[in-house]
Amino acid sequence: MTDYPIRHIDSNPTQAGLASMLANVTFTDRETDNLQMQILQPWGLVDEKGKDRLYPAVVFVQGSGWTFPHVYFQIPQLSQLARQGYVVATVTHRSMENGHRAPAYLLDVKAAIRFLRAQADTLHIDPERIGIWGTSSGANAALLAGLTIDDPKYRIDEWNKESDSVSYVVDCFGPADTVEMVDNFLKSLEKGKAALEQLSAREQEIQTKALASLKKDMHNFVGSDGGKLDLDLVRELSPIHQIKKDEDYPPVLILHGDQDELVDYKQSVELYKALVDNGNTAEMITVDGGQHEDGFWSQEVLDAIWDFIGRWS
């Protein structure tokens, strides 16, 4: 007698463990430079009784050297969070390459947070449970968002009736001390100029162009109309210099590879110490041998981030 085995799997009426994506959601209303985010949601937007579910949300800011972020870069990893029951929005901001000097990137990230809070019901978000996570320059934005909550200095027209508060910050290898970063840049510029005399004519031409490009990038980021760097602005964009004595800040998780050649690992250590010494909740994870993005990521790193987000959402 022929056997016809059939496997049976229970139905999943609430779509638990699955995720969906809302692509290219516009969160600004401007004549030019309108910005969009990509939103990942748990698939189960209603419970067994047909009532709308509200989920904690995570705002993710991809590192980009303060240029336009590649919003799709981490979506494969971010989908893990969505499948665990989080709404995840990977957001964009204006680029310094297009003439948008700092703090334009921070203003836009804060606008994205306020948009999510304003659209919380539609997007199935619990407005009291929104956190932020960033990498590299995106982590600088995330840190500043957490350290300057509802500061009117960084409030623009979009969704300005909403709060830009966050419940926690996850910082992956972000520049924590832009004062030191710019100081090192200026020293490198002088060293590069001094070395020109020892180069051949062709090498001098290449080095001169490289130095001019670096100088242009720095001016695009924190330059003033007078052509000089705005050192007050540089300090303002430095998270470690934003920490105010006895101020209550959201919990911060700092992760950094100790072989990072782009953003000094010591900056994260000093930021961690400054937060702890100020009485704030902070945790730090060192990725041994980790560089800047390269060799940094692993499932163990992601699981540590998921654990922190779960505890503070």
Side-chain angles (χ1 to χ4, degrees):
M1 183 175 180
T2 303
D3 186 20
Y4 299 98
I6 298 175
R7 182 183 175 189
H8 290 258
I9 296 175
D10 290 339
S11 65
N12 184 17
T14 62
Q15 309 299 321
L18 302 177
S20 62
M21 179 173 170
L22 298 175
N24 304 323
V25 177
T26 301
F27 67 91
T28 59
D29 183 18
R30 302 168 182 169
E31 292 184 6
T32 59
D33 298 308
N34 255 336
L35 299 172
Q36 296 179 326
M37 61 175 69
Q38 313 302 315
I39 299 177
L40 302 172
Q41 293 176 306
W43 203 335
L45 297 179
V46 295
D47 62 19
E48 295 84 349
K49 297 180 180 179
K51 184 179 178 181
D52 284 351
R53 294 181 186 270
L54 295 181
Y55 295 99
V58 181
V59 177
F60 180 76
V61 192
Q62 174 63 44
S64 60
W66 295 285
T67 62
F68 198 75
H70 181 351
V71 292
Y72 301 102
F73 184 71
Q74 286 286 6
I75 280 181
Q77 283 63 249
L78 297 175
S79 66
Q80 291 186 32
L81 264 182
R83 292 198 300 272
Q84 292 177 36
Y86 295 85
V87 175
V88 185
T90 173
V91 306
T92 53
H93 56 70
R94 286 168 291 175
S95 168
M96 69 174 189
E97 290 182 325
N98 296 333
H100 300 294
R101 296 175 190 159
Y105 71 98
L106 177 59
L107 303 182
D108 294 341
V109 169
K110 283 175 169 281
I113 296 168
R114 295 196 301 271
F115 167 82
L116 292 173
R117 195 160 268 123
Q119 302 297 319
D121 287 345
T122 302
L123 296 173
H124 295 264
I125 291 172
D126 181 342
E128 300 301 317
R129 302 165 71 194
I130 299 177
I132 189 166
W133 169 22
T135 63
S136 194
S137 62
N140 172 265
L143 286 165
L144 290 171
L147 294 170
T148 62
I149 287 174
D150 289 332
D151 187 331
K153 185 174 185 177
Y154 304 108
R155 184 173 290 273
I156 50 179
D157 290 341
E158 282 97 357
W159 317 104
N160 60 16
K161 293 182 180 180
E162 302 292 339
S163 170
D164 59 42
S165 65
V166 291
S167 301
Y168 58 82
V169 177
V170 178
D171 155 29
C172 292
F173 44 86
D177 190 345
T178 51
V179 173
E180 180 184 76
M181 181 187 77
V182 170
D183 185 55
N184 289 339
F185 160 76
L186 293 173
K187 289 177 181 177
S188 296
L189 199 63
E190 290 305 313
K191 188 181 294 184
K193 289 178 181 178
L196 285 175
E197 296 178 359
Q198 303 173 24
L199 303 176
S200 67
R202 177 57 180 158
E203 289 172 332
Q204 284 185 17
E205 181 182 356
I206 294 172
Q207 181 72 349
T208 298
K209 287 182 178 179
L211 292 172
S213 178
L214 285 172
K215 188 174 181 179
K216 180 182 177 182
D217 285 346
M218 191 57 66
H219 184 267
N220 285 342
F221 179 42
V222 289
S224 66
D225 291 336
K228 295 183 179 181
L229 298 184
D230 186 340
L231 298 183
D232 289 335
L233 176 59
V234 171
R235 187 176 184 85
E236 181 183 323
L237 301 175
S238 186
I240 199 166
H241 294 295
Q242 281 281 6
I243 299 172
K244 297 178 176 62
K245 183 174 174 56
D246 299 327
E247 187 78 15
D248 187 24
Y249 297 115
V252 178
L253 173 63
I254 302 166
L255 303 96
H256 209 138
D258 61 3
Q259 298 302 309
D260 192 329
E261 295 182 353
L262 188 60
V263 177
D264 192 347
Y265 165 76
K266 293 178 182 177
Q267 287 198 10
S268 286
V269 175
E270 292 305 312
L271 176 66
Y272 170 58
K273 290 179 179 178
L275 287 167
V276 172
D277 290 346
N278 198 49
N280 305 118
T281 299
E283 301 174 24
M284 182 164 181
I285 296 173
T286 298
V287 178
D288 294 331
Q291 299 177 17
H292 198 81
E293 292 278 10
D294 294 336
F296 175 87
W297 297 105
S298 66
Q299 190 59 51
E300 186 175 3
V301 165
L302 293 174
D303 287 342
I305 295 172
W306 304 165
D307 174 71
F308 180 84
I309 290 174
R311 283 186 281 124
W312 293 106
S313 288

